[in-house]
Amino acid sequence: MAENIAHGGAAGQQRVVKRPRPVKSCLECRRRKLKCDRLLPCTQCQKSQRSCRYVADGDAGSVSDASDIDISARTPKRSCGPGEGSIRETQAGAELLEDYGLRIERLERMLLEKNSPFTEASSGSRPQRPVASALTMRGLTVKGGSRTRFFGPSSARVLVNLFDEAKEFMFGRGDSSDILQQFLLIYKIQKSVQEEHRKATSPIAVFVDSMTPIQKRMADVLPIKSACDNLVQFYMNRSETLYRVLHIPSFMSQYNQYWEGNQQPDCFLPQLLSILCIGYRFFWAGKGQFQNDREGIHMPTACALVRTWLDSLRGKQLVEFSSLQTEVLALMAQRVLNSQNHETWQHLGLLVRMAMTMGLHRDPSEFSREILPFWAEQRRKLWATILELDIHMSMQCNLPSCIREGDFTCRPPSNLNDDELYPNMIELPPSKPIEVDTNSRIQVFAANTLKTRFKVVDLVNRIDALQDYQQILDIGNELEQALEDIRYVVPQKHLNDPNGAMHQWLTRVILDMNCRRPLLALYRPFALSSADAPQQIMTGYLKSCMIMLSYLEDLDPLTPDYPQIWHMHNLVLKQDIMHASFGVCYYMKHIQSSVMNTQESEPRKSSSGSELVEAACIAASRSSMLLSLPRLRVTVEKVIDTMIKRISEIGTDVKDLVSLTIVFYTYQGETHEPKKEVKQALQRIVDAGLQSMHISREDMSAITVSARPPMLVLSLTKEVDDVPNRADADDELPTRPESHDQYRVVYDDGGCATSSIGRLWYMGW
């Protein structure tokens, strides 16, 4: 203790000097005030992919835990012998300067981290702040200077920016006569299919514009009872799972009484029509779109009549619980008929505010004297459904959710069967364990993950403000744990009963899909554009893409219900399948690039960022046999085959199909002639389109596609010289251009603009 005691002038006077404690934590954990396990590298630095460094033993005092306290407390005055004072003063001054230098260095580092996406270059670490390329994160189409539309990272228009060679083919190398003819035929097929879809999704005017009472008009469009029975049952089994809207016994009682001729509440027919539309759209495609189909329902007319009834509500009718139920059902019916995500997102905002006006965002226990247990549980179910729709549409549009964590106190519903609930019950029975199958189990499990999924929506919409990957990894781990829990909640069993096996598969897929969608949205911006993304993100994204594309592999195609499930799967997951396919192609591109680079005698020069991405993609592919390059090829090829089969289906986007086809066959790497592969694939699209429309190639070539409205008359002519650029050449293309080398668009006012196949492709579409 002698060296820790300073002797003053008077005997017995002592002053204890606090010695600096040596630093044992790594520099990054100490700076971030995290608990360090003192390994090399430590766990915290491993998680966030930081460089883990420790201070040298000789420098421990200069960055010790006492470096932040006042200097006067660390360097107290001491009495010194002759000649010792000047030496100690010099040492004290050096320590003071060193301490000031460390403080300035720490402040500079903090400022750099705040204002720059990268940390100090001198640290030798990889970028710590997540940086996602804006080119692959968002896009905005501008037409006419004032008409704009925002696209997020889930749009094919944005995802195609990941593939330079495919874009080059679309905009440049494809300028040959044979490719041009295919593009023109596909363009005409697209326009013809769009026109057919427009007619099929238009309501029948005689019902919509009639002066007959709305209840009578809704009753007139109902199909026969046997068809209604099948569609209602299909809706209850397939849709009333995650999205709980109705109390099934109560609705079925009203349904049976209606066919017996008894009068029902005004809300019954609008709810029934919406249910029939949803059930029919899931059940099968093709029928029910035409006026003479009494075994189906004319969905556009039914949706229009329901909307007319809802718009006629006034005053107290707007806060009726049944009115809110009908609004939710009408939104779901319109969404499956014509999936315009941005319009659905806008309408959902009004629906959320309607629910909040009715107090559904507050838990019924706060008003226990006014709300009976039965209605309290129905309110919880409907509020959970609205939350699910809000999260899903926000991720699809890459726009903020209408509801955020903290905006509501309503608890998740109980895991109970509907037949255990009745209107006059005094109290709810105890909730069953989540392992017990009930009508509400899927929604209850999903409701327990709402908090994590809301974090994803919030984080993805403020991605530019992230400081490191730690928050992304933490949320990803929570979602991965939820996906792991599904294996225990719904264990995969071999069942001899086909209905039981189908129900088990459907439950597992719905639960998995509900957690995997936000996981893909969370990882996508970094896995597809960041050179420094942690391997957990790179591997997790590819794995989730492949699982999303492989749901149907667990089913036997020979089972009776397989055609309906196949159709429902491709309808509900249409956009997710497209996103996942582009993601898999991104990995194929980098894996193939690495293979070709190693095979060449003179390796191509690539940036360090590209090398990091290639290494991460290869590591992800090698992490499992299910992620191998041959399996990636086969999986995406199946997706393209399925999309070609569904080319005439309402909601199929031929533009997305063509983009994915060109991207896949450009990078699939089985041959050295990608242009030939693309040409053959485009021909398959042409053949499928012609077959679905029952028209020959010659007849299609003779068709002139009209504009919408016919404001511009376009033609392709031989390019002679440069002309002023014109905005938005928007629709009609000629049937037989004279030249395929270079073009210009001729306007009806005599002006013109140069173009190429790719530009005509995008301008026309």
Side-chain angles (χ1 to χ4, degrees):
M1 294 292 292
E3 62 271 18
N4 290 339
I5 301 176
H7 298 280
Q13 288 185 344
Q14 301 180 19
R15 180 180 299 171
V16 177
V17 180
K18 182 178 180 181
R19 294 186 61 188
R21 291 187 298 169
V23 175
K24 296 183 179 180
S25 300
C26 74
L27 295 180
E28 289 294 333
C29 288
R30 183 172 181 275
R31 181 173 62 82
R32 297 172 180 270
K33 294 181 173 57
L34 300 175
K35 184 177 180 180
C36 183
D37 54 13
R38 301 173 184 175
L39 301 175
L40 185 63
C42 71
T43 304
Q44 297 288 358
C45 290
Q46 282 182 319
K47 285 183 180 179
S48 54
Q49 298 290 318
R50 295 191 298 264
S51 176
C52 186
R53 297 189 301 122
Y54 289 85
V55 67
D57 293 339
D59 299 333
S62 62
V63 289
S64 65
D65 289 345
S67 62
D68 293 332
I69 65 174
D70 187 65
I71 296 301
S72 62
R74 286 178 35 214
T75 57
K77 295 180 180 180
R78 300 176 58 182
S79 60
C80 304
E84 189 179 351
S86 60
I87 298 175
R88 292 189 177 277
E89 288 177 2
T90 303
Q91 292 177 346
E95 291 179 1
L96 181 62
L97 290 174
E98 186 178 6
D99 186 78
Y100 283 154
L102 288 170
R103 293 188 180 192
I104 292 173
E105 183 182 356
R106 185 165 65 247
L107 287 172
E108 288 176 346
R109 186 163 58 246
M110 292 171 63
L111 288 173
L112 285 173
E113 289 177 352
K114 182 177 181 180
N115 298 320
S116 171
F118 299 97
T119 57
E120 276 188 297
S122 61
S123 65
S125 62
R126 296 163 67 186
Q128 294 183 4
R129 179 175 176 181
V131 181
S133 172
L135 193 64
T136 58
M137 274 295 297
R138 59 189 68 89
L140 186 74
T141 60
V142 182
K143 293 189 177 181
S146 60
R147 182 157 56 99
T148 62
R149 185 179 291 275
F150 175 80
F151 295 94
S154 58
S155 170
R157 296 171 184 249
V158 176
L159 290 171
V160 78
N161 290 323
L162 296 165
F163 308 97
D164 294 334
E165 293 182 22
K167 284 180 65 179
E168 182 185 351
F169 178 86
M170 294 184 204
F171 286 90
R173 289 192 321 181
D175 292 0
S176 60
S177 59
D178 50 353
I179 298 294
L180 174 63
Q181 288 295 332
Q182 287 181 323
F183 268 80
L184 292 175
L185 283 172
I186 293 174
Y187 175 82
K188 292 182 178 182
I189 290 171
Q190 159 78 1
K191 287 297 180 182
S192 300
V193 169
Q194 282 183 339
E195 182 63 20
E196 290 295 324
H197 291 176
R198 186 192 64 78
K199 293 178 181 178
T201 55
S202 299
I204 303 172
V206 69
F207 288 102
V208 177
D209 301 332
S210 173
M211 299 301 294
T212 307
I214 186 64
Q215 292 287 336
K216 177 67 168 58
R217 283 182 279 162
M218 288 190 289
D220 289 342
V221 299
L222 283 176
I224 58 178
K225 184 178 183 300
S226 59
C228 290
D229 292 343
N230 292 332
L231 297 180
V232 168
Q233 191 61 42
F234 196 87
Y235 166 84
M236 296 300 177
N237 294 337
R238 299 289 187 261
S239 184
E240 195 75 21
T241 52
L242 178 62
Y243 302 130
R244 295 303 317 275
V245 181
L246 303 170
H247 181 242
I248 297 176
S250 298
F251 180 84
M252 294 307 299
S253 175
Q254 293 178 345
Y255 177 79
N256 293 328
Q257 292 179 25
Y258 173 81
W259 289 109
E260 292 173 0
N262 298 323
Q263 185 71 24
Q264 297 303 312
D266 289 346
C267 65
F268 171 75
L269 275 179
Q271 291 180 0
L272 177 60
L273 287 180
S274 299
I275 289 171
L276 295 177
C277 290
I278 299 169
Y280 191 81
R281 190 76 172 99
F282 285 163
F283 185 73
W284 195 242
K287 299 182 68 178
Q289 308 297 327
F290 305 102
Q291 302 179 20
N292 59 352
D293 185 3
R294 292 299 293 169
E295 294 183 0
I297 182 170
H298 194 263
M299 295 168 57
T301 303
C303 289
L305 292 176
V306 172
R307 175 47 51 193
T308 300
W309 181 83
L310 287 169
D311 292 342
S312 69
L313 300 180
R314 296 291 183 272
K316 297 179 180 179
Q317 295 174 318
L318 294 173
V319 292
E320 287 283 348
F321 188 76
S322 58
S323 300
L324 183 60
Q325 288 176 306
T326 310
E327 282 280 6
V328 175
L329 290 171
L331 178 70
M332 294 168 59
Q334 186 62 43
R335 179 167 157 247
V336 298
L337 172 63
N338 190 9
S339 56
Q340 297 293 334
N341 289 333
H342 287 80
E343 294 179 8
T344 304
W345 182 79
Q346 295 170 11
H347 189 189
L348 190 59
L350 300 175
L351 196 150
V352 166
R353 284 155 180 79
M354 180 179 178
M356 285 185 163
T357 302
M358 298 170 60
L360 263 72
H361 62 302
R362 310 301 299 184
D363 191 75
S365 61
E366 300 176 20
F367 319 101
S368 56
R369 295 183 179 179
E370 291 82 9
I371 300 178
L372 297 175
F374 171 81
W375 289 109
E377 193 64 13
Q378 296 309 116
R379 290 167 68 94
R380 292 189 183 104
K381 291 179 183 179
L382 190 57
W383 178 251
T385 297
I386 294 173
L387 293 180
E388 291 291 345
L389 290 170
D390 187 28
I391 288 178
H392 177 55
M393 295 313 305
S394 297
M395 288 190 295
Q396 293 282 42
C397 299
N398 197 48
L399 292 169
S401 59
C402 303
I403 312 166
R404 299 193 179 185
E405 185 184 0
D407 290 346
F408 59 95
T409 61
C410 188
R411 299 197 306 266
S414 302
N415 188 30
L416 298 170
N417 283 308
D418 280 14
D419 55 14
E420 298 179 75
L421 308 173
Y422 52 92
N424 296 323
M425 64 190 311
I426 300 176
E427 63 178 359
L428 294 175
S431 180
K432 293 179 171 59
I434 195 63
E435 293 82 7
V436 178
D437 187 23
T438 67
N439 301 128
S440 301
R441 178 168 69 159
I442 293 177
Q443 188 182 59
V444 172
F445 183 92
N448 290 326
T449 65
L450 277 173
K451 182 178 180 180
T452 303
R453 289 183 286 138
F454 269 118
K455 290 179 184 178
V456 173
V457 175
D458 177 63
L459 188 146
V460 170
N461 283 281
R462 59 175 182 84
I463 207 165
D464 297 330
L466 291 177
Q467 294 299 319
D468 56 42
Y469 284 108
Q470 191 59 51
Q471 190 175 4
I472 301 168
L473 296 174
D474 290 342
I475 298 176
N477 289 334
E478 292 180 27
L479 290 171
E480 292 280 7
Q481 183 58 53
L483 290 168
E484 188 68 20
D485 292 342
I486 296 173
R487 298 173 55 189
Y488 299 97
V489 173
V490 191
Q492 192 166 8
K493 302 177 182 178
H494 178 72
L495 301 175
N496 295 324
D497 177 23
N499 293 329
M502 184 64 69
H503 178 72
Q504 174 185 271
W505 176 86
L506 189 65
T507 302
R508 289 173 61 90
V509 167
I510 292 176
L511 292 178
D512 186 275
M513 169 198 69
N514 208 43
C515 292
R516 205 162 299 277
R517 274 174 170 165
L519 187 64
L520 286 169
L522 178 68
Y523 285 168
R524 183 184 297 119
F526 310 104
L528 301 186
S529 65
S530 295
D532 67 325
Q535 191 61 45
Q536 174 183 333
I537 291 178
M538 299 297 294
T539 304
Y541 181 75
L542 179 60
K543 177 183 175 182
S544 290
C545 285
M546 289 296 290
I547 292 176
M548 183 74 74
L549 298 176
S550 305
Y551 284 146
L552 288 177
E553 293 183 2
D554 294 334
L555 289 180
D556 182 3
L558 299 179
T559 56
D561 291 339
Y562 185 82
Q564 287 80 16
I565 295 298
W566 180 84
H567 165 71
M568 182 178 175
H569 169 267
N570 288 284
L571 175 66
V572 174
L573 297 179
K574 178 185 66 175
Q575 196 167 347
D576 303 284
I577 290 172
M578 179 64 65
H579 305 163
S581 299
F582 272 107
V584 172
C585 288
Y586 178 81
Y587 282 74
M588 290 171 51
K589 164 190 169 182
H590 286 286
I591 295 171
Q592 192 66 29
S593 175
S594 178
V595 172
M596 293 177 64
N597 197 25
T598 56
Q599 291 177 350
E600 292 178 357
S601 57
E602 295 182 1
R604 295 167 295 172
K605 294 182 179 180
S606 59
S607 63
S608 59
S610 177
E611 292 176 354
L612 289 173
V613 174
E614 288 177 4
C617 291
I618 292 173
S621 178
R622 291 176 178 174
S623 64
S624 172
M625 287 296 295
L626 299 178
L627 306 180
S628 63
L629 182 58
R631 181 169 172 80
L632 299 184
R633 291 193 188 110
V634 171
T635 301
V636 179
E637 198 163 19
K638 286 181 179 178
V639 171
I640 294 175
D641 291 342
T642 298
M643 293 179 68
I644 291 176
K645 290 178 182 178
R646 293 172 52 84
I647 194 170
S648 62
E649 172 64 29
I650 292 178
T652 298
D653 195 331
V654 181
K655 297 172 291 184
D656 292 349
L657 170 59
V658 171
S659 299
L660 179 61
T661 301
I662 294 175
V663 166
F664 172 72
Y665 285 102
T666 301
Y667 299 103
Q668 59 100 11
E670 288 190 343
T671 68
H672 297 287
E673 298 180 356
K675 187 174 180 180
K676 181 179 179 181
E677 295 278 346
V678 172
K679 181 182 176 182
Q680 293 175 352
L682 292 178
Q683 186 59 48
R684 290 170 54 206
I685 296 176
V686 171
D687 295 341
L690 295 175
Q691 184 178 1
S692 67
M693 299 177 62
H694 306 289
I695 190 172
S696 66
R697 186 186 184 97
E698 292 74 17
D699 292 339
M700 178 59 72
S701 298
I703 292 177
T704 300
V705 182
S706 60
R708 183 187 75 251
M711 296 178 63
L712 298 178
V713 180
L714 306 184
S715 64
L716 296 181
T717 63
K718 182 75 175 179
E719 178 61 34
V720 290
D721 51 16
D722 293 335
V723 291
N725 193 20
R726 294 289 300 267
D728 284 346
D730 207 20
D731 274 337
E732 184 176 352
L733 291 178
T735 56
R736 296 182 184 276
E738 297 178 359
S739 172
H740 308 300
D741 300 326
Q742 193 73 19
Y743 325 97
R744 61 177 176 177
V745 179
V746 181
Y747 292 77
D748 56 351
D749 61 358
C752 53
T754 59
S755 186
S756 68
I757 291 179
R759 291 181 179 85
L760 287 171
W761 178 262
Y762 278 99
M763 286 193 300
W765 289 11

